[in-house]
mmCIF file of all heavy atoms in Angstrom:
data_model
loop_
_atom_site.group_PDB
_atom_site.id
_atom_site.type_symbol
_atom_site.label_atom_id
_atom_site.label_comp_id
_atom_site.label_asym_id
_atom_site.label_seq_id
_atom_site.Cartn_x
_atom_site.Cartn_y
_atom_site.Cartn_z
ATOM 1 N N SER A 1 -67.174 60.949 60.116
ATOM 2 C CA SER A 1 -68.016 61.721 59.210
ATOM 3 C C SER A 1 -67.228 61.988 57.933
ATOM 4 O O SER A 1 -66.011 61.801 57.895
ATOM 5 C CB SER A 1 -68.444 63.039 59.857
ATOM 6 O OG SER A 1 -67.318 63.832 60.173
ATOM 7 N N GLY A 2 -67.936 62.418 56.902
ATOM 8 C CA GLY A 2 -67.276 62.835 55.680
ATOM 9 C C GLY A 2 -67.374 61.882 54.512
ATOM 10 O O GLY A 2 -66.921 62.200 53.408
ATOM 11 N N GLY A 3 -67.947 60.709 54.729
ATOM 12 C CA GLY A 3 -68.077 59.768 53.613
ATOM 13 C C GLY A 3 -69.097 60.238 52.592
ATOM 14 O O GLY A 3 -69.840 61.193 52.827
ATOM 15 N N GLY A 4 -69.116 59.578 51.436
ATOM 16 C CA GLY A 4 -70.075 59.943 50.409
ATOM 17 C C GLY A 4 -69.716 59.351 49.070
ATOM 18 O O GLY A 4 -68.916 58.408 48.986
ATOM 19 N N LEU A 5 -70.309 59.922 48.039
ATOM 20 C CA LEU A 5 -70.109 59.465 46.664
ATOM 21 C C LEU A 5 -69.222 60.463 45.928
ATOM 22 O O LEU A 5 -69.449 61.673 45.988
ATOM 23 C CB LEU A 5 -71.459 59.346 45.962
ATOM 24 C CG LEU A 5 -71.462 59.024 44.469
ATOM 25 C CD1 LEU A 5 -70.868 57.642 44.213
ATOM 26 C CD2 LEU A 5 -72.879 59.119 43.905
ATOM 27 N N VAL A 6 -68.218 59.943 45.242
ATOM 28 C CA VAL A 6 -67.303 60.799 44.496
ATOM 29 C C VAL A 6 -66.890 60.081 43.218
ATOM 30 O O VAL A 6 -66.876 58.850 43.173
ATOM 31 C CB VAL A 6 -66.072 61.162 45.360
ATOM 32 C CG1 VAL A 6 -65.255 59.917 45.695
ATOM 33 C CG2 VAL A 6 -65.216 62.220 44.706
ATOM 34 N N GLN A 7 -66.559 60.847 42.191
ATOM 35 C CA GLN A 7 -66.089 60.242 40.953
ATOM 36 C C GLN A 7 -64.618 59.872 41.061
ATOM 37 O O GLN A 7 -63.869 60.471 41.846
ATOM 38 C CB GLN A 7 -66.287 61.214 39.788
ATOM 39 C CG GLN A 7 -67.747 61.400 39.386
ATOM 40 C CD GLN A 7 -67.889 62.211 38.113
ATOM 41 O OE1 GLN A 7 -67.031 63.028 37.799
ATOM 42 N NE2 GLN A 7 -68.972 61.978 37.398
ATOM 43 N N ALA A 8 -64.225 58.916 40.277
ATOM 44 C CA ALA A 8 -62.821 58.518 40.236
ATOM 45 C C ALA A 8 -61.943 59.733 39.943
ATOM 46 O O ALA A 8 -62.283 60.557 39.086
ATOM 47 C CB ALA A 8 -62.608 57.433 39.193
ATOM 48 N N GLY A 9 -60.841 59.823 40.669
ATOM 49 C CA GLY A 9 -59.950 60.960 40.526
ATOM 50 C C GLY A 9 -60.252 62.092 41.491
ATOM 51 O O GLY A 9 -59.447 63.024 41.637
ATOM 52 N N GLY A 10 -61.396 62.011 42.149
ATOM 53 C CA GLY A 10 -61.805 63.052 43.083
ATOM 54 C C GLY A 10 -61.220 62.864 44.466
ATOM 55 O O GLY A 10 -60.383 61.970 44.701
ATOM 56 N N SER A 11 -61.673 63.708 45.390
ATOM 57 C CA SER A 11 -61.145 63.707 46.759
ATOM 58 C C SER A 11 -62.278 63.706 47.768
ATOM 59 O O SER A 11 -63.378 64.201 47.500
ATOM 60 C CB SER A 11 -60.276 64.947 46.993
ATOM 61 O OG SER A 11 -59.166 64.976 46.132
ATOM 62 N N LEU A 12 -61.968 63.153 48.928
ATOM 63 C CA LEU A 12 -62.862 63.214 50.086
ATOM 64 C C LEU A 12 -62.000 63.357 51.331
ATOM 65 O O LEU A 12 -60.847 62.888 51.352
ATOM 66 C CB LEU A 12 -63.705 61.938 50.215
ATOM 67 C CG LEU A 12 -64.996 61.803 49.419
ATOM 68 C CD1 LEU A 12 -65.617 60.431 49.663
ATOM 69 C CD2 LEU A 12 -65.984 62.901 49.759
ATOM 70 N N ARG A 13 -62.581 63.955 52.347
ATOM 71 C CA ARG A 13 -61.881 64.073 53.625
ATOM 72 C C ARG A 13 -62.760 63.475 54.706
ATOM 73 O O ARG A 13 -63.882 63.951 54.940
ATOM 74 C CB ARG A 13 -61.576 65.532 53.945
ATOM 75 C CG ARG A 13 -60.728 65.731 55.203
ATOM 76 C CD ARG A 13 -60.406 67.205 55.401
ATOM 77 N NE ARG A 13 -59.551 67.455 56.552
ATOM 78 C CZ ARG A 13 -58.225 67.442 56.506
ATOM 79 N NH1 ARG A 13 -57.610 67.196 55.361
ATOM 80 N NH2 ARG A 13 -57.514 67.689 57.598
ATOM 81 N N LEU A 14 -62.267 62.442 55.335
ATOM 82 C CA LEU A 14 -62.965 61.809 56.447
ATOM 83 C C LEU A 14 -62.446 62.381 57.765
ATOM 84 O O LEU A 14 -61.255 62.680 57.887
ATOM 85 C CB LEU A 14 -62.756 60.294 56.443
ATOM 86 C CG LEU A 14 -63.104 59.547 55.156
ATOM 87 C CD1 LEU A 14 -62.886 58.047 55.344
ATOM 88 C CD2 LEU A 14 -64.509 59.847 54.698
ATOM 89 N N SER A 15 -63.355 62.504 58.717
ATOM 90 C CA SER A 15 -62.968 62.966 60.045
ATOM 91 C C SER A 15 -63.428 61.976 61.092
ATOM 92 O O SER A 15 -64.443 61.298 60.914
ATOM 93 C CB SER A 15 -63.583 64.336 60.334
ATOM 94 O OG SER A 15 -63.030 65.329 59.512
ATOM 95 N N CYS A 16 -62.691 61.930 62.185
ATOM 96 C CA CYS A 16 -63.038 61.047 63.291
ATOM 97 C C CYS A 16 -62.865 61.850 64.575
ATOM 98 O O CYS A 16 -61.743 62.249 64.913
ATOM 99 C CB CYS A 16 -62.133 59.825 63.306
ATOM 100 S SG CYS A 16 -62.402 58.732 64.722
ATOM 101 N N ALA A 17 -63.973 62.090 65.253
ATOM 102 C CA ALA A 17 -63.945 62.858 66.503
ATOM 103 C C ALA A 17 -63.883 61.890 67.679
ATOM 104 O O ALA A 17 -64.730 60.993 67.799
ATOM 105 C CB ALA A 17 -65.184 63.732 66.603
ATOM 106 N N ALA A 18 -62.884 62.083 68.523
ATOM 107 C CA ALA A 18 -62.708 61.229 69.705
ATOM 108 C C ALA A 18 -63.179 61.961 70.947
ATOM 109 O O ALA A 18 -62.922 63.151 71.115
ATOM 110 C CB ALA A 18 -61.236 60.842 69.850
ATOM 111 N N SER A 19 -63.839 61.231 71.829
ATOM 112 C CA SER A 19 -64.279 61.790 73.113
ATOM 113 C C SER A 19 -64.126 60.734 74.189
ATOM 114 O O SER A 19 -63.866 59.566 73.911
ATOM 115 C CB SER A 19 -65.730 62.268 73.020
ATOM 116 O OG SER A 19 -66.593 61.197 72.708
ATOM 117 N N GLY A 20 -64.272 61.156 75.428
ATOM 118 C CA GLY A 20 -64.095 60.228 76.537
ATOM 119 C C GLY A 20 -62.660 60.264 77.033
ATOM 120 O O GLY A 20 -62.078 61.331 77.177
ATOM 121 N N ARG A 21 -62.074 59.113 77.238
ATOM 122 C CA ARG A 21 -60.737 59.014 77.812
ATOM 123 C C ARG A 21 -59.657 59.225 76.751
ATOM 124 O O ARG A 21 -58.783 58.374 76.541
ATOM 125 C CB ARG A 21 -60.565 57.680 78.509
ATOM 126 C CG ARG A 21 -61.512 57.468 79.695
ATOM 127 C CD ARG A 21 -61.223 56.193 80.442
ATOM 128 N NE ARG A 21 -59.884 56.223 81.053
ATOM 129 C CZ ARG A 21 -59.349 55.216 81.709
ATOM 130 N NH1 ARG A 21 -60.026 54.076 81.841
ATOM 131 N NH2 ARG A 21 -58.146 55.319 82.232
ATOM 132 N N THR A 22 -59.687 60.360 76.101
ATOM 133 C CA THR A 22 -58.731 60.629 75.028
ATOM 134 C C THR A 22 -57.269 60.667 75.493
ATOM 135 O O THR A 22 -56.382 60.350 74.698
ATOM 136 C CB THR A 22 -59.089 61.924 74.293
ATOM 137 O OG1 THR A 22 -59.174 62.990 75.238
ATOM 138 C CG2 THR A 22 -60.430 61.777 73.575
ATOM 139 N N PRO A 23 -56.960 61.056 76.730
ATOM 140 C CA PRO A 23 -55.552 61.010 77.152
ATOM 141 C C PRO A 23 -54.961 59.607 77.125
ATOM 142 O O PRO A 23 -53.735 59.449 77.138
ATOM 143 C CB PRO A 23 -55.610 61.542 78.593
ATOM 144 C CG PRO A 23 -56.800 62.420 78.621
ATOM 145 C CD PRO A 23 -57.793 61.702 77.765
ATOM 146 N N SER A 24 -55.813 58.581 77.083
ATOM 147 C CA SER A 24 -55.314 57.205 77.061
ATOM 148 C C SER A 24 -54.932 56.739 75.664
ATOM 149 O O SER A 24 -54.336 55.680 75.488
ATOM 150 C CB SER A 24 -56.376 56.250 77.627
ATOM 151 O OG SER A 24 -57.478 56.156 76.746
ATOM 152 N N ILE A 25 -55.260 57.517 74.646
ATOM 153 C CA ILE A 25 -55.022 57.100 73.261
ATOM 154 C C ILE A 25 -53.535 57.118 72.931
ATOM 155 O O ILE A 25 -52.841 58.090 73.200
ATOM 156 C CB ILE A 25 -55.791 58.002 72.280
ATOM 157 C CG1 ILE A 25 -57.288 57.888 72.504
ATOM 158 C CG2 ILE A 25 -55.438 57.622 70.842
ATOM 159 C CD1 ILE A 25 -58.100 58.852 71.655
ATOM 160 N N SER A 26 -53.060 56.038 72.329
ATOM 161 C CA SER A 26 -51.679 55.991 71.840
ATOM 162 C C SER A 26 -51.626 56.073 70.315
ATOM 163 O O SER A 26 -50.684 56.620 69.747
ATOM 164 C CB SER A 26 -51.007 54.691 72.279
ATOM 165 O OG SER A 26 -51.589 53.568 71.621
ATOM 166 N N THR A 27 -52.649 55.522 69.658
ATOM 167 C CA THR A 27 -52.666 55.420 68.213
ATOM 168 C C THR A 27 -54.090 55.607 67.708
ATOM 169 O O THR A 27 -55.045 55.141 68.340
ATOM 170 C CB THR A 27 -52.206 54.021 67.755
ATOM 171 O OG1 THR A 27 -51.148 53.542 68.566
ATOM 172 C CG2 THR A 27 -51.793 54.028 66.296
ATOM 173 N N MET A 28 -54.221 56.272 66.573
ATOM 174 C CA MET A 28 -55.493 56.344 65.865
ATOM 175 C C MET A 28 -55.276 55.749 64.488
ATOM 176 O O MET A 28 -54.300 56.067 63.810
ATOM 177 C CB MET A 28 -55.967 57.787 65.745
ATOM 178 C CG MET A 28 -56.363 58.413 67.065
ATOM 179 S SD MET A 28 -57.935 57.800 67.679
ATOM 180 C CE MET A 28 -59.078 58.598 66.552
ATOM 181 N N GLY A 29 -56.206 54.896 64.095
ATOM 182 C CA GLY A 29 -56.058 54.238 62.809
ATOM 183 C C GLY A 29 -57.311 54.331 61.957
ATOM 184 O O GLY A 29 -58.408 54.610 62.463
ATOM 185 N N TRP A 30 -57.110 54.105 60.674
ATOM 186 C CA TRP A 30 -58.219 53.999 59.726
ATOM 187 C C TRP A 30 -58.137 52.629 59.058
ATOM 188 O O TRP A 30 -57.069 52.204 58.607
ATOM 189 C CB TRP A 30 -58.142 55.091 58.657
ATOM 190 C CG TRP A 30 -58.504 56.452 59.136
ATOM 191 C CD1 TRP A 30 -57.646 57.428 59.564
ATOM 192 C CD2 TRP A 30 -59.812 57.011 59.239
ATOM 193 N NE1 TRP A 30 -58.349 58.543 59.932
ATOM 194 C CE2 TRP A 30 -59.686 58.320 59.736
ATOM 195 C CE3 TRP A 30 -61.090 56.533 58.960
ATOM 196 C CZ2 TRP A 30 -60.784 59.160 59.962
ATOM 197 C CZ3 TRP A 30 -62.181 57.358 59.184
ATOM 198 C CH2 TRP A 30 -62.024 58.654 59.674
ATOM 199 N N PHE A 31 -59.274 51.985 58.998
ATOM 200 C CA PHE A 31 -59.410 50.709 58.311
ATOM 201 C C PHE A 31 -60.573 50.822 57.333
ATOM 202 O O PHE A 31 -61.384 51.751 57.422
ATOM 203 C CB PHE A 31 -59.691 49.587 59.329
ATOM 204 C CG PHE A 31 -58.521 49.258 60.218
ATOM 205 C CD1 PHE A 31 -58.188 50.080 61.273
ATOM 206 C CD2 PHE A 31 -57.758 48.125 59.990
ATOM 207 C CE1 PHE A 31 -57.091 49.784 62.094
ATOM 208 C CE2 PHE A 31 -56.669 47.820 60.803
ATOM 209 C CZ PHE A 31 -56.341 48.652 61.855
ATOM 210 N N ARG A 32 -60.663 49.880 56.435
ATOM 211 C CA ARG A 32 -61.792 49.878 55.519
ATOM 212 C C ARG A 32 -62.219 48.456 55.205
ATOM 213 O O ARG A 32 -61.410 47.527 55.281
ATOM 214 C CB ARG A 32 -61.460 50.626 54.229
ATOM 215 C CG ARG A 32 -60.461 49.922 53.331
ATOM 216 C CD ARG A 32 -60.090 50.817 52.149
ATOM 217 N NE ARG A 32 -59.279 50.115 51.167
ATOM 218 C CZ ARG A 32 -58.728 50.717 50.106
ATOM 219 N NH1 ARG A 32 -58.908 52.008 49.895
ATOM 220 N NH2 ARG A 32 -58.018 50.001 49.255
ATOM 221 N N GLN A 33 -63.481 48.322 54.851
ATOM 222 C CA GLN A 33 -64.006 47.020 54.467
ATOM 223 C C GLN A 33 -64.873 47.175 53.239
ATOM 224 O O GLN A 33 -65.908 47.848 53.265
ATOM 225 C CB GLN A 33 -64.826 46.411 55.609
ATOM 226 C CG GLN A 33 -65.265 44.984 55.333
ATOM 227 C CD GLN A 33 -65.814 44.292 56.561
ATOM 228 O OE1 GLN A 33 -66.229 44.921 57.523
ATOM 229 N NE2 GLN A 33 -65.802 42.973 56.547
ATOM 230 N N ALA A 34 -64.408 46.571 52.154
ATOM 231 C CA ALA A 34 -65.151 46.575 50.903
ATOM 232 C C ALA A 34 -66.168 45.440 50.913
ATOM 233 O O ALA A 34 -65.989 44.447 51.636
ATOM 234 C CB ALA A 34 -64.192 46.428 49.728
#
């Protein structure tokens, strides 16, 4: 969540909520595709 439209120079904060087998997680990553 947290995406949207912003002007150059501005800020945004993205969040990622994990559920399920969270104790198995070793790494969380962010990727993007233009």
Side-chain angles (χ1 to χ4, degrees):
S1 61
L5 174 64
V6 64
Q7 288 188 333
S11 298
L12 276 177
R13 185 177 182 88
L14 306 182
S15 292
C16 175
S19 61
R21 297 186 64 183
T22 55
S24 69
I25 298 175
S26 68
T27 322
M28 292 286 287
W30 287 96
F31 290 77
R32 70 186 188 186
Q33 187 168 21

